[in-house]
Amino acid sequence: MEKSSTIRYFLMWMIVTFIFGASIFLTGFFPINNYALDRAVAENQPKDLDGLSLTPPTQIYAQTILMLVDALRFDFASQSGMEFSYNNSCNRLKLRVNIPTVTMPRLKSLTTGTISNFIDIVLNIGHVEQLADSLMHRLQVRNEITVFAGDRTWISLFPKQFTRFTANSDSFYVNDFYEGDKNVTEVLTKELLNDDWMLLVLHYLGLDHIGHVEGSDSSKIPLKLKEMDDVVLKLYKAKHFHRQLLILTGDHGMRDGGGHGGSTAGELYVPLFVLKENCTTKGSSKANEYNQIDVAPTLAILWSMEIPPMSIGCLIPELLHEFNLEDQLFAYYYNALHLMQKANNKFGQDYVDNNAFSKWFITAKSAHKQFLLEKRNNNFENAFIFEDSKIHYIRLAREISNQLSDSLVQFDYGLITLGLALTTIVVLNALLAFCSATDRVFIHGKVAFLSLLAFAACINKWCHYHGYFTTTGTMSTVVILLAIMASVYMLINIANLLLRRMLASNNLQISLPNQIWMLLSCLLIHTLTLASSSFIENENKTWHYLGASALILLCVQSFQKELLSYKLDACINGVALYKVLLRNLQKLQTSFVIIGGLSILYRLDGASSYLTQEATKTWLSCIFVAGLLLYVLCLRTHKLVQTRKELGIYVIAAMLIYCYRASKGVVSSVFDTNCCAKIVLHIFWMVVIIAACISTVILYTKRRLSYQIQHTLLAGCFKILLTLLLTICLLLHKPHNVCLVAYLMYTLSLCYELCGKFEKNTLRTSNYKYLSKLLCTILVGNMFYFYQGNSNSFATIDLNPGYIGQTSYNPIIVGILVTLNMYSAQFIAFLYLITHILQESDNNKTHDLSANEHIDFIIYFYTLSIFVPVLIYLWLLLFFRYHLFIYSVFAPKALYEFYRVIVLFFTYLMTTISLYIFDQK
Ligand SMILES: [Zn+2]
Ligand SMILES: [Zn+2]
């Protein structure tokens, strides 16, 4: 047999290369440098219209206040929610925002007037990018005084553009509901006494944080809205309001249930309230719908500035009513000219000339001219001609704006092809190597390596010459070269494997039991569903039905099998048959209890926003306590702890978790524990460490007492790891999800028990012995991953675990904790399987395969079970690239799948390292 280390190195190399290929693919699919391509110099305002001289309108409002309330969705700003603002706004408009519905891309849209790239969502987490040109830059050039208070993201985007600024120290620290907003209002109070500024930007974060932590039904939201309404009232009553324009809007909305980042109606629509003194249109009931990118050009016109060069938005007519008719037409003409210019650059002169919007432009211009002539010669403003011209300008602007938005999606086909080729080759290579258990690495030596490099360089040169790759720069050349080298190397490998295959001509014949085929087909069905957007949106349902039906089928088959095997004896003795029936019925009953429980769990997360309300606190506490009790029971029944002492320590840990939640006010408690959340948490971590130490000591002393085989120690170590993981998950999970931890263990052990019956004698000695158990592990792991509330939208990423015990934003710790919580079901299931294998190999050491070989097989198959769907998904992405939902549904899923492979890499790394450490005899 092959040595374990070879397989492990081979797998490591496969996973790394796959991640490399997938990264290249995604870079091609979501290009970062769209902005650079689209950047242009701002045109000056037009001076004439076909010979008629024009004068730009002058600025009407001396001061503008832009008040942004993070995650203020459209229905929040209602008559009941924000009464004063609602009743006193001159216009109440509805803005549609673009995806991704996260803060930074939305701020870019607001200030530049262009839609953002999908990859911004990734940058939003690290927030690094600065903008090149925007409204803020224009104001800086004009030496206007601008003031900012609120979310730090603005300062990342505009580090030098604001004259004075006060930024929240931690925008990502979601547990702050009031402190940050209080600071913003303080700055506002101070600035209202100054009147030197031209623009004041206020960005309130509290509402967004309440949404993230407590959900959209939280009782704190109406209070927060009232607080925001009071800020508007304060501004309205200020001394200089007569020369000010106040705009109240949100950067993005909020999903039903809390977060944002997806594309539901709640997230996509925000209000835009315009408040000023003496408005004529107060209280109009109709809410016209505009796009968020329309705000930037409109503000530019209001401030009598150049339209930002990247802007592709239209003007919002309601905001221009203060201008006289001539000035309004000037504004529409200027924006139309700007958009025509952009369309010319983007689509070419021919396309533009033949398009309908050129004709509208000519019509609008001639009406505009006629209006000006009549006004200047007869001093008569013809409202009819004005409307005619305005309508045509607006229509053409809308049309071009839509076309430009659509065309901003640009794919880099060179990188897509390369990435796809590399990932496909990796998967092929891994699959072929999986089937043939021979040597897996073929090329050695410097000469081979150098010739490979030279060959790759030639291909690279050739591709660049033909224009398949458009990238320049050392970094990208190295990346492309490496990718080509890896592909060529593995192609040779594949050819070699195939050749050996043909020469050896040993037929691959494995007879697998039926239920393995059944479980395999479950995975296949799931892979097929990836082709449909609605299946991706509701992937939790797919896993729920696949998992539950697999469980039921396993139960029924096991029942049938036992009946058959007892049939012969039972024919003789009626009483025996009765006993067998009774025993099996009991077993079946347990299975159905488990399946029924699963359905309840499935509903539980849907009701989570209901459960977190104050009125249901007792219920939540009961569920939480039940979860903790189940966990303790689970430690006993699965023999994860060996002595009473250990169990006692873990019980204390569970109690500390309850105290921690109680001190946060989530569950009810007898004592007032509001003060000591931090201390409780410190004690908890100490207890966990002590528990780990004690378990290790007990394990080693036990080992010395009785002469043991090697794997008892290994199994013991993995059991300790598993127990620690379970305990930490209890802390990280939302209170109503804590039951899942123990439930997952019960479900897995039931599955293994059922699978154990089907291990045929032929399978007992082969690699495939644990295949059915592995398949169950994958199914159950995925099922619980979705039960926990995860989905394929960014909106459901639960950020709270990242801040447990944290007082500031530390990206690495937050990342680790959030990932651990998100993928906990899969981690636990995987670790449980390995522990199970190690333990079984102790109990019966008669067969010829060692536990290590089984584990290698399991890891290999597990890797393949993730690789294949991801690869198929990447291909699907290429075919669906013009699909309507590509950015709202398919793209987030792609990033999820990519992250899944990275998580696989770390799972693999951790498992291999622990096997290596503990496996020393
Ligand atoms: Zn936001
Ligand atoms: Zn947010």
Side-chain angles (χ1 to χ4, degrees):
M1 270 320 273
E2 201 175 358
K3 272 186 71 183
S4 283
S5 60
T6 330
I7 301 184
R8 286 178 191 168
Y9 282 127
F10 174 76
L11 261 186
M12 173 71 85
W13 149 240
M14 287 290 126
I15 297 176
V16 170
T17 328
F18 190 87
I19 293 177
F20 182 50
S23 320
I24 294 178
F25 176 87
L26 291 180
T27 326
F29 206 84
F30 307 120
I32 303 170
N33 52 1
N34 262 351
Y35 287 114
L37 293 174
D38 213 47
R39 201 159 287 155
V41 189
E43 313 101 14
N44 287 325
Q45 304 196 2
K47 298 225 166 50
D48 67 314
L49 169 71
D50 299 345
L52 271 178
S53 70
L54 297 172
T55 37
T58 46
Q59 193 173 342
I60 296 178
Y61 306 100
Q63 296 181 307
T64 307
I65 304 161
L66 179 61
M67 180 175 164
L68 267 173
V69 180
D70 209 291
L72 180 71
R73 70 184 208 192
F74 186 72
D75 59 337
F76 280 172
S78 62
Q79 179 128 38
S80 54
M82 301 181 78
E83 196 188 347
F84 179 81
S85 319
Y86 189 89
N87 290 333
N88 289 283
S89 51
C90 305
N91 302 103
R92 290 189 299 269
L93 307 175
K94 190 176 187 180
L95 286 190
R96 188 191 160 87
V97 309
N98 286 92
I99 50 166
T101 49
V102 285
T103 305
M104 183 194 274
R106 301 288 45 88
L107 297 186
K108 283 183 185 170
S109 285
L110 268 176
T111 53
T112 61
T114 186
I115 58 168
S116 46
N117 212 295
F118 193 82
I119 210 70
D120 274 342
I121 197 165
V122 181
L123 298 177
N124 183 55
I125 296 163
H127 52 142
V128 280
E129 205 189 355
Q130 294 167 17
L131 290 173
D133 202 343
S134 70
L135 290 175
M136 302 302 143
H137 293 75
R138 299 275 129 197
L139 287 174
Q140 193 191 21
V141 170
R142 237 171 53 175
N143 281 325
E144 298 283 3
I145 294 178
T146 48
V147 185
F148 170 77
D151 184 5
R152 178 156 288 278
T153 317
W154 280 85
I155 304 305
S156 324
L157 287 171
F158 309 107
K160 297 193 196 79
Q161 275 69 36
F162 286 107
T163 323
R164 298 191 287 272
F165 62 83
T166 319
N168 289 0
S169 49
D170 271 313
S171 315
F172 281 88
Y173 184 58
V174 290
N175 288 333
D176 168 30
F177 294 169
Y178 305 108
E179 218 34 55
D181 286 0
K182 224 167 74 191
N183 292 340
V184 177
T185 311
E186 260 166 39
V187 173
L188 161 70
T189 317
K190 226 184 299 160
E191 290 298 336
L192 281 180
L193 301 175
N194 283 337
D195 61 346
D196 59 342
W197 46 266
M198 192 223 121
L199 173 68
L200 172 64
V201 180
L202 307 166
H203 189 141
Y204 285 94
L205 272 177
L207 182 67
D208 173 65
H209 288 178
I210 294 174
H212 280 296
V213 177
E214 304 208 335
S216 58
D217 296 327
S218 165
S219 54
K220 297 200 176 86
I221 283 186
L223 298 175
K224 194 65 180 178
L225 291 176
K226 179 80 183 60
E227 184 189 330
M228 295 293 108
D229 205 32
D230 290 344
V231 174
V232 174
L233 177 67
K234 185 186 178 111
L235 285 165
Y236 199 83
K237 293 268 146 62
K239 192 170 63 177
H240 297 297
F241 192 71
H242 59 92
R243 52 199 208 102
Q244 289 171 342
L245 172 72
L246 169 59
I247 294 175
L248 168 72
T249 183
D251 55 344
H252 48 75
M254 189 190 287
R255 177 176 73 98
D256 293 336
H260 56 89
S263 51
T264 60
E267 290 158 274
L268 284 181
Y269 288 97
V270 295
L272 179 85
F273 283 4
V274 183
L275 288 102
K276 57 196 175 197
E277 215 169 48
N278 311 322
C279 57
T280 45
T281 50
K282 192 177 282 186
S284 75
S285 58
K286 205 172 116 213
N288 284 333
E289 188 184 317
Y290 295 97
N291 209 309
Q292 197 175 35
I293 54 174
D294 301 343
V295 175
T298 312
L299 283 179
I301 297 288
L302 284 176
W303 295 338
S304 189
M305 291 194 313
E306 294 86 16
I307 293 173
M310 288 186 284
S311 157
I312 54 169
C314 309
L315 298 180
I316 301 176
E318 281 85 344
L319 278 165
L320 302 177
H321 283 326
E322 238 24 38
F323 287 120
N324 65 35
L325 298 188
E326 184 180 340
D327 286 349
Q328 286 189 36
L329 278 188
F330 173 87
Y332 293 123
Y333 171 58
Y334 177 26
N335 195 48
L337 200 66
H338 169 83
L339 288 173
M340 285 296 282
Q341 196 63 44
K342 297 222 66 126
N344 258 332
N345 293 345
K346 192 87 191 180
F347 307 120
Q349 188 76 44
D350 289 346
Y351 177 83
V352 171
D353 286 345
N354 293 326
N355 209 301
F357 57 71
S358 314
K359 292 183 193 78
W360 302 338
F361 191 44
I362 294 167
T363 319
K365 271 203 300 193
S366 70
H368 188 181
K369 221 162 127 184
Q370 200 183 345
F371 175 83
L372 285 181
L373 285 174
E374 271 190 37
K375 186 178 177 193
R376 281 173 200 180
N377 296 338
N378 312 332
N379 207 3
F380 169 66
E381 287 191 330
N382 191 329
F384 178 73
I385 299 179
F386 165 79
E387 281 300 327
D388 186 37
S389 174
K390 175 183 161 185
I391 283 171
H392 278 96
Y393 277 136
I394 290 177
R395 189 176 170 198
L396 93 98
R398 182 59 58 205
E399 174 66 24
I400 299 179
S401 175
N402 289 342
Q403 289 197 17
L404 283 172
S405 313
D406 293 342
S407 75
L408 266 183
V409 185
Q410 278 179 333
F411 302 108
D412 188 332
Y413 286 107
L415 291 182
I416 289 179
T417 317
L418 184 63
L420 213 50
L422 188 56
T423 41
T424 313
I425 290 171
V426 169
V427 173
L428 275 180
N429 197 355
L431 273 173
L432 269 174
F434 182 72
C435 297
S436 62
T438 45
D439 272 351
R440 293 185 168 99
V441 186
F442 300 102
I443 302 172
H444 299 285
K446 271 182 205 151
V447 182
F449 178 77
L450 282 178
S451 51
L452 200 65
L453 185 68
F455 187 57
C458 287
I459 294 182
N460 187 14
K461 186 77 205 157
W462 184 79
C463 287
H464 268 96
Y465 179 75
H466 283 278
Y468 295 127
F469 296 131
T470 48
T471 49
T472 47
T474 334
M475 194 53 205
S476 51
T477 313
V478 170
V479 167
I480 289 177
L481 208 62
L482 278 177
I484 296 176
M485 265 179 77
S487 320
V488 172
Y489 175 78
M490 270 183 285
L491 267 180
I492 297 173
N493 247 2
I494 290 175
N496 207 332
L497 279 170
L498 279 176
L499 248 161
R500 283 182 184 218
R501 203 70 225 259
M502 283 201 289
L503 289 178
S505 73
N506 60 331
N507 287 338
L508 186 79
Q509 290 239 323
I510 319 150
S511 66
L512 292 174
N514 281 338
Q515 74 277 356
I516 289 193
W517 289 118
M518 181 197 84
L519 292 170
L520 272 175
S521 63
C522 282
L523 292 188
L524 187 74
I525 290 172
H526 164 251
T527 310
L528 290 179
T529 60
L530 291 178
S532 151
S533 62
S534 37
F535 272 108
I536 290 178
E537 277 180 308
N538 298 307
E539 203 183 332
N540 53 341
K541 288 186 183 150
T542 314
W543 284 112
H544 177 71
Y545 289 118
L546 285 180
S549 26
L551 251 177
I552 292 173
L553 275 173
L554 277 179
C555 283
V556 171
Q557 282 191 350
S558 107
F559 189 28
Q560 192 184 7
K561 193 175 158 113
E562 275 216 14
L563 267 187
L564 281 178
S565 63
Y566 279 97
K567 205 172 169 185
L568 295 172
D569 325 333
C571 279
I572 312 158
N573 191 343
V575 182
L577 177 70
Y578 174 71
K579 272 184 185 166
V580 171
L581 263 177
L582 201 67
R583 198 177 60 220
N584 272 290
L585 278 177
Q586 261 171 0
K587 217 172 253 170
L588 207 61
Q589 197 190 350
T590 345
S591 327
F592 278 113
V593 166
I594 284 202
I595 291 165
L598 286 178
S599 304
I600 295 172
L601 288 178
Y602 185 59
R603 306 266 173 267
L604 200 60
D605 197 70
S608 64
S609 68
Y610 170 73
L611 274 176
T612 44
Q613 281 169 18
E614 194 64 32
T616 49
K617 207 170 173 180
T618 331
W619 278 106
L620 187 66
S621 311
C622 291
I623 294 176
F624 192 46
V625 171
L628 294 175
L629 281 177
L630 272 175
Y631 154 80
V632 175
L633 259 173
C634 163
L635 290 185
R636 287 287 297 167
T637 46
H638 288 93
K639 298 197 181 65
L640 288 174
V641 287
Q642 300 171 8
T643 55
R644 286 256 168 83
K645 238 180 279 168
E646 283 174 273
L647 189 67
I649 297 173
Y650 285 113
V651 170
I652 293 175
M655 275 155 70
L656 284 169
I657 292 173
Y658 189 88
C659 289
Y660 173 72
R661 290 290 175 188
S663 69
K664 286 271 162 186
V666 184
V667 290
S668 42
S669 68
V670 190
F671 313 104
D672 177 36
T673 42
N674 268 334
C675 50
C676 49
K678 245 185 149 172
I679 305 166
V680 170
L681 210 60
H682 280 304
I683 302 174
F684 170 79
W685 286 114
M686 254 154 60
V687 167
V688 167
I689 291 168
I690 292 171
C693 293
I694 289 182
S695 302
T696 322
V697 170
I698 290 175
L699 184 68
Y700 273 83
T701 44
K702 257 199 166 179
R703 186 189 176 227
R704 252 193 294 137
L705 287 177
S706 55
Y707 23 82
Q708 302 266 337
I709 19 144
Q710 163 212 359
H711 282 302
T712 314
L713 182 65
L714 198 53
C717 289
F718 268 90
K719 269 187 182 172
I720 297 174
L721 280 184
L722 182 59
T723 320
L724 292 179
L725 182 64
L726 289 177
T727 317
I728 294 172
C729 286
L730 285 190
L731 176 71
L732 297 183
H733 275 348
K734 290 178 194 157
H736 64 269
N737 274 341
V738 161
C739 305
L740 286 179
V741 175
Y743 222 87
L744 172 63
M745 300 285 286
Y746 287 117
T747 317
L748 280 175
S749 65
L750 174 79
C751 285
Y752 290 0
E753 198 185 313
L754 291 174
C755 287
K757 289 186 186 160
F758 299 109
E759 282 166 7
K760 276 189 189 169
N761 288 330
T762 47
L763 280 184
R764 275 190 198 284
T765 50
S766 83
N767 267 325
Y768 292 88
K769 183 179 173 198
Y770 289 105
L771 188 56
S772 55
K773 286 178 185 171
L774 173 65
L775 289 169
C776 281
T777 312
I778 295 171
L779 272 174
V780 172
N782 276 311
M783 203 159 68
F784 276 79
Y785 169 80
F786 286 104
Y787 282 159
Q788 209 188 315
N790 291 317
S791 78
N792 288 323
S793 154
F794 291 122
T796 54
I797 296 178
D798 184 12
L799 289 177
N800 292 314
Y803 297 99
I804 288 179
Q806 306 286 307
T807 46
S808 62
Y809 175 65
N810 181 342
I812 296 171
I813 294 180
V814 171
I816 291 175
L817 291 178
V818 169
T819 310
L820 195 62
N821 178 55
M822 238 174 103
Y823 289 92
S824 60
Q826 281 156 354
F827 289 143
I828 292 173
F830 188 71
L831 209 54
Y832 184 75
L833 178 64
I834 289 186
T835 317
H836 175 81
I837 294 174
L838 287 172
Q839 207 176 351
E840 276 224 329
S841 80
D842 277 353
N843 295 343
N844 49 343
K845 35 207 169 326
T846 43
H847 47 78
D848 50 355
L849 279 178
S850 76
N852 260 335
E853 279 163 320
H854 279 307
I855 290 176
D856 285 338
F857 175 84
I858 291 295
I859 296 180
Y860 204 141
F861 194 90
Y862 189 68
T863 310
L864 282 180
S865 80
I866 291 174
F867 272 4
V868 175
V870 175
L871 177 71
I872 291 174
Y873 192 70
L874 293 184
W875 277 100
L876 283 175
L877 217 54
L878 181 65
F879 288 119
F880 286 151
R881 64 191 179 282
Y882 294 119
H883 194 285
L884 188 58
F885 296 138
I886 184 77
Y887 281 96
S888 52
V889 178
F890 288 103
K893 174 75 179 158
L895 294 185
Y896 263 106
E897 292 290 297
F898 179 67
Y899 195 64
R900 187 73 213 287
V901 183
I902 292 178
V903 169
L904 165 78
F905 172 72
F906 284 109
T907 318
Y908 177 75
L909 210 64
M910 296 313 286
T911 324
T912 321
I913 290 174
S914 6
L915 278 174
Y916 180 76
I917 293 174
F918 299 134
D919 207 4
Q920 314 286 334
K921 277 171 225 172

